Amino acid sequence: MSEKFQVNSYNKVDKCTISWYNKNAVEYKANKMPKKGVHNMYEIKISKDFFQMIDAMAETEVKPSQIMSELKEHTPPIAENFGLEKVAVEINIPHDMIQSEVKKHLQLFDSERNGIYKFEQKHDIRGGGTIKILGESNLSEAKEKFELYAKIAYVMFDRLLESQLLDRALVTDNLTGAKNIYGLRKFVDELKDTGNISDYAAFFANITNFKYVNQKLGMQNGDNILRSLAQRFDEEFAGEGDIFRLGSDNFIMLVKRGQAEKLTEMLKSYYVTLDSGESVHIHFKAGIYYADSDSGIKELINYSTAAYSSAKVSGRDLVQFEPEMIEDELRTESILEAFPDALENHELKVFYQPKVRSDDLKLVGCEALCRWIKNGKIVPPMEFIPVLERYGNIAQLDLYVIEEVCRDIRGWLDAGIEPVRTSVNISRRDMALPDLAKCICEIIDKYQIDHKYIEIELTETYGSEEMSKMVKLIDDLKNYGFKISIDDFGSGYSTLTMLKSINADIIKLDRAFIKDLSSSSVSDRIIMRNVVNMVRDLSKEVIAEGTETKEQVGFLSSIGCDVIQGYYYDPPLPKEKFNERLTNDKFYSTREQTKK
Ligand code: C2E
Ligand code: CA
Ligand code: CA
């Protein structure tokens, strides 16, 4: 019979027509609007009430109470008009139905007894529950009209269910059933509206051995563990908080302050029994932030994750937020953000610290050390270099410094000033760059600078993999004709191994050694003397950095330390100042005399 129906609604007209088209009529319609009378199978005249109901339902808020009240209001006149003696809607939906899918299943029953026709349209809902729409009439043809009414009513309920499902899907994490970030936003908004946010503590928790779990026990078990956490949380803290998955194995848990202790305990010893019966200890690291009345979602996330980051760095499992943590993060962020422009605008300046030969006090070299001139203030490297190292930008800086050094050396050469060998610092992280040696060499060659003017300072490395990379780098650099020095020698653990396996030209004794000399015990001096002897026996040059006093200089010279660098002679100098050292007399002996 009918394939499709079309509704023509006329504004402010009491009677409307609903026409059913058969298949042919629909095809005909594709060519041209059907002419009246040609296509009609039959017509039903219905009242404006019906369309009013459709309009009202379409516009109403998709809430059960609203839909019911619209139905209640509009049904009687429609029923009357449709020749229905009775219309009833029976709804039976379990409370948690919205968790399951709606089964799209319509059934229309009809029966006749004593001249009364009964109609029933039933909708089964997957996961339990039904919506039944019932009608009675003494006219058998009212069946079609009833069906029309019932379908419209059903569509409204369907809309309601779908929208509730959608609402839920929007705030729910598919895998675990925990809420997602939108759920967190909603939860926090509600707490803020009711002024209860400060009753809560936010935990940012991450499973530390999750990678291991996935690799060793399989993804399936990994997923189960995530699910179990959401479930377990709900069991333990129903009504006292909620759990939100931010992705991967990262969760935010909001609990009432009084429950924080309990949650801490749960995270400290959390075991999951796998399908295989095996029990696995799941380790967490977490950051905790106790909300105050001003806290919003941003604070909850940022502060609990800042505490978590601090837990990671300090190696502890649970750390509570402190304001300094965010200051660190802000500083880090501002460095990373400003760094590209700083490079571009040459806010990073190279300072040169003289190196003085101990036997004749001649300026024989210098170390290039960078300074960031930020808003007229000098930012020391210890404030930004560790950040750049951590976030992988240090190579950019190091190559930039090399280029600046080359530009300066080129300038001196062009001005007829004889430069001294300048050492540049190369971070261990730079070894991740493929062809690092070639890269360095290309920059230097761009300025046509004799390789004898450049020395590369590398720090001690740990681990055999890094060590072999470093051996290769040093070989490459030496093949290009650069001198290599090992920086901060003696501060690491692998010092003697380094000495044996690395083909460096110069050993720079760590500042800590020289500092200790002032409070010198006899044994310190013996160690120093022998280290210097050993290095010299290996035909390497020894340089002492961080030399601040006359006594230190005296001792270092007496044990045969070749070169001295430190505040005693000069701090790192801006280029212009260092220029003076290069152009004037290169001997510090004359300056020593004037000092006296
Ligand atoms: P470093 O390579 O060990 O550099 C020596 C540091 O000791 C410099 O600190 C220098 O100013 C300081 N110093 C020199 N003489 C004395 C002294 O007599 N007493 C004391 N107390 N300190 C002295 P600075 O310039 O603050 O640099 C710190 C560290 O930052 C450097 O340690 C180096 O590791 C890193 N750095 C600096 N520039 C660069 C760069 O361009 N690239 C890389 N990768 N690291 C750099
Ligand atoms: Ca250095
Ligand atoms: Ca050093």
Side-chain angles (χ1 to χ4, degrees):
M1 105 100 276
S2 58
E3 305 293 331
K4 207 176 170 121
F5 71 86
Q6 189 196 351
V7 178
N8 301 314
S9 151
Y10 304 106
N11 262 349
K12 294 191 181 111
V13 175
D14 222 71
K15 301 250 165 87
C16 304
T17 314
I18 291 185
S19 315
W20 276 264
Y21 294 108
N22 64 19
K23 237 188 189 160
N24 296 334
V26 171
E27 275 161 20
Y28 176 81
K29 192 179 149 229
N31 294 327
K32 222 179 188 189
M33 275 303 286
K35 283 194 193 108
K36 239 185 169 174
V38 180
H39 54 280
N40 284 9
M41 298 285 286
Y42 47 85
E43 274 189 2
I44 306 171
K45 300 244 188 279
I46 57 167
S47 75
K48 205 167 106 186
D49 300 312
F50 187 73
F51 291 99
Q52 275 175 349
M53 179 180 81
I54 295 178
D55 284 349
M57 299 281 259
E59 279 159 21
T60 189
E61 227 185 304
V62 190
K63 267 192 190 161
S65 57
Q66 284 286 333
I67 299 233
M68 285 309 277
S69 84
E70 294 291 349
L71 276 180
K72 242 189 207 155
E73 185 186 334
H74 295 283
T75 296
I78 294 169
E80 198 181 317
N81 186 263
F82 276 11
L84 294 163
E85 306 284 311
K86 184 179 159 190
V87 172
V89 179
E90 284 179 19
I91 297 168
N92 170 24
I93 306 175
H95 178 67
D96 60 353
M97 195 247 64
I98 49 168
Q99 290 180 20
S100 49
E101 277 176 67
V102 177
K103 190 171 165 188
K104 290 263 167 56
H105 188 73
L106 292 167
Q107 276 178 291
L108 183 67
F109 304 103
D110 63 318
S111 57
E112 188 258 356
R113 241 180 109 195
N114 304 330
I116 297 289
Y117 296 88
K118 290 198 172 184
F119 313 114
E120 178 187 322
Q121 186 169 275
K122 187 169 162 240
H123 312 284
D124 288 326
I125 290 156
R126 193 176 298 165
T130 52
I131 298 175
K132 257 193 228 170
I133 300 164
L134 307 158
E136 277 182 31
S137 177
N138 46 16
L139 301 167
S140 85
E141 59 276 25
K143 183 181 167 188
E144 252 92 36
K145 298 174 191 169
F146 167 78
E147 192 181 355
L148 179 63
Y149 169 83
K151 275 190 175 156
I152 296 291
Y154 170 71
V155 164
M156 294 321 296
F157 282 104
D158 198 37
R159 218 180 115 213
L160 169 74
L161 295 171
E162 298 261 315
S163 101
Q164 291 196 350
L165 257 181
L166 197 67
D167 276 356
R168 205 188 140 83
L170 278 178
V171 298
T172 306
D173 170 55
N174 249 336
L175 179 73
T176 59
K179 301 225 170 63
N180 62 17
I181 181 88
Y182 303 107
L184 177 61
R185 189 176 297 277
K186 206 169 147 212
F187 191 87
V188 172
D189 283 349
E190 279 164 18
L191 287 179
K192 284 201 74 89
D193 284 349
T194 52
N196 290 331
I197 186 76
S198 56
D199 295 345
Y200 281 78
F203 283 59
F204 176 92
N206 172 277
I207 302 178
T208 36
N209 57 342
F210 195 59
K211 210 171 169 182
Y212 165 86
V213 166
N214 267 332
Q215 275 169 5
K216 294 276 163 186
L217 308 173
M219 298 282 270
Q220 187 70 42
N221 277 319
D223 287 353
N224 287 342
I225 285 164
L226 296 178
R227 266 191 285 266
S228 89
L229 179 64
Q231 258 168 33
R232 173 83 181 275
F233 183 94
D234 283 346
E235 284 159 23
E236 299 281 340
F237 299 97
E240 300 289 320
D242 216 335
I243 181 165
F244 308 86
R245 179 168 175 242
L246 300 187
S248 180
D249 57 338
N250 296 317
F251 289 87
I252 290 233
M253 301 169 199
L254 283 184
V255 285
K256 298 224 175 102
R257 281 168 176 257
Q259 300 289 319
E261 191 68 23
K262 181 174 164 193
L263 180 55
T264 302
E265 288 311 312
M266 179 177 125
L267 295 178
K268 270 192 194 159
S269 74
Y270 190 78
Y271 289 85
V272 174
T273 309
L274 304 178
D275 292 340
S276 63
E278 187 189 343
S279 172
V280 197
H281 185 190
I282 304 298
H283 299 271
F284 289 94
K285 268 202 196 305
I288 309 167
Y289 168 63
Y290 286 89
D292 59 37
S293 51
D294 294 330
S295 310
I297 184 165
K298 201 172 126 214
E299 285 75 19
L300 294 184
I301 296 181
N302 287 355
Y303 295 177
S304 61
T305 48
Y308 164 76
S309 302
S310 155
K312 249 171 86 171
V313 173
S314 65
R316 284 181 295 159
D317 287 341
L318 276 114
V319 169
Q320 200 178 315
F321 172 77
E322 278 159 34
E324 302 83 71
M325 294 172 178
I326 215 75
E327 283 159 23
D328 284 352
E329 285 211 345
L330 288 176
R331 213 175 296 129
T332 300
E333 261 173 38
S334 86
I335 287 168
L336 291 174
E337 204 186 297
F339 178 66
D341 285 346
L343 277 185
E344 180 92 25
N345 305 332
H346 292 263
E347 282 171 36
L348 291 147
K349 301 275 181 221
V350 177
F351 278 44
Y352 296 95
Q353 186 172 34
K355 293 177 187 169
V356 177
R357 190 159 63 200
S358 57
D359 57 7
D360 59 358
L361 305 189
K362 188 182 178 193
L363 170 67
V364 289
C366 65
E367 176 175 6
L369 292 157
C370 74
R371 301 285 179 269
W372 187 338
I373 317 290
K374 212 175 171 193
N375 309 324
K377 275 195 219 128
I378 296 184
V379 186
M382 285 336 273
E383 285 195 16
F384 58 90
I385 284 182
V387 174
L388 298 179
E389 287 193 319
R390 204 158 357 117
Y391 290 89
N393 307 345
I394 189 68
Q396 260 176 294
L397 175 79
D398 287 345
L399 296 176
Y400 166 93
V401 168
I402 293 178
E403 180 140 16
E404 294 291 296
V405 165
C406 290
R407 199 174 283 131
D408 288 346
I409 294 182
R410 183 77 261 155
W412 286 316
L413 288 168
D414 289 348
I417 300 165
E418 176 64 11
V420 289
R421 189 169 75 211
T422 304
S423 61
V424 291
N425 291 282
I426 289 292
S427 163
R428 275 164 38 201
R429 297 288 166 114
D430 297 353
M431 289 196 290
L433 270 189
D435 289 336
L436 176 61
K438 197 166 157 234
C439 224
I440 293 174
C441 194
E442 277 170 4
I443 297 172
I444 293 164
D445 289 349
K446 198 165 96 187
Y447 292 83
Q448 294 177 309
I449 284 160
D450 192 324
H451 293 187
K452 71 174 181 184
Y453 290 121
I454 304 291
E455 175 182 323
I456 310 284
E457 292 195 13
L458 296 159
T459 48
E460 296 179 58
T461 42
Y462 314 94
S464 55
E465 196 188 320
E466 248 195 8
M467 184 68 109
S468 59
K469 266 194 191 167
M470 191 159 169
V471 169
K472 164 97 173 53
L473 174 67
I474 290 179
D475 282 348
D476 291 349
L477 289 169
K478 287 194 67 146
N479 282 336
Y480 285 123
F482 302 115
K483 289 266 190 264
I484 305 295
S485 53
I486 299 302
D487 202 358
D488 305 337
F489 183 83
S491 65
Y493 301 101
S494 54
T495 299
L496 289 177
T497 325
M498 283 283 292
L499 213 50
K500 208 178 75 179
S501 44
I502 276 183
N503 190 13
D505 306 284
I506 301 135
I507 298 296
K508 290 191 85 172
L509 296 176
D510 190 53
R511 209 163 51 219
F513 274 111
I514 286 86
K515 208 170 105 206
D516 287 348
L517 281 179
S518 359
S519 57
S520 63
S521 68
V522 180
S523 58
D524 282 344
R525 286 171 179 256
I526 293 172
I527 291 172
M528 277 297 281
R529 178 175 288 121
N530 283 287
V531 168
V532 171
N533 274 339
M534 182 174 64
V535 174
R536 290 184 52 138
D537 280 351
L538 291 166
S539 310
K540 298 184 197 301
E541 202 179 283
V542 190
I543 161 161
E545 66 178 343
T547 311
E548 293 179 355
T549 65
K550 200 173 163 63
E551 291 68 39
Q552 289 167 343
V553 171
F555 176 73
L556 287 165
S557 312
S558 78
I559 60 169
C561 180
D562 306 294
V563 179
I564 289 169
Q565 174 187 346
Y567 294 166
Y568 180 69
Y569 290 117
D570 262 323
L573 302 169
K575 181 188 155 195
E576 296 66 32
K577 197 93 186 140
F578 184 67
N579 208 22
E580 288 174 17
R581 301 282 185 273
L582 280 179
T583 44
N584 294 344
D585 178 11
K586 280 198 176 108
F587 287 92
Y588 277 76
S589 37
T590 10
R591 287 162 35 86
E592 287 277 271
Q593 244 112 55
T594 44
K595 258 193 205 174
K596 277 174 201 163

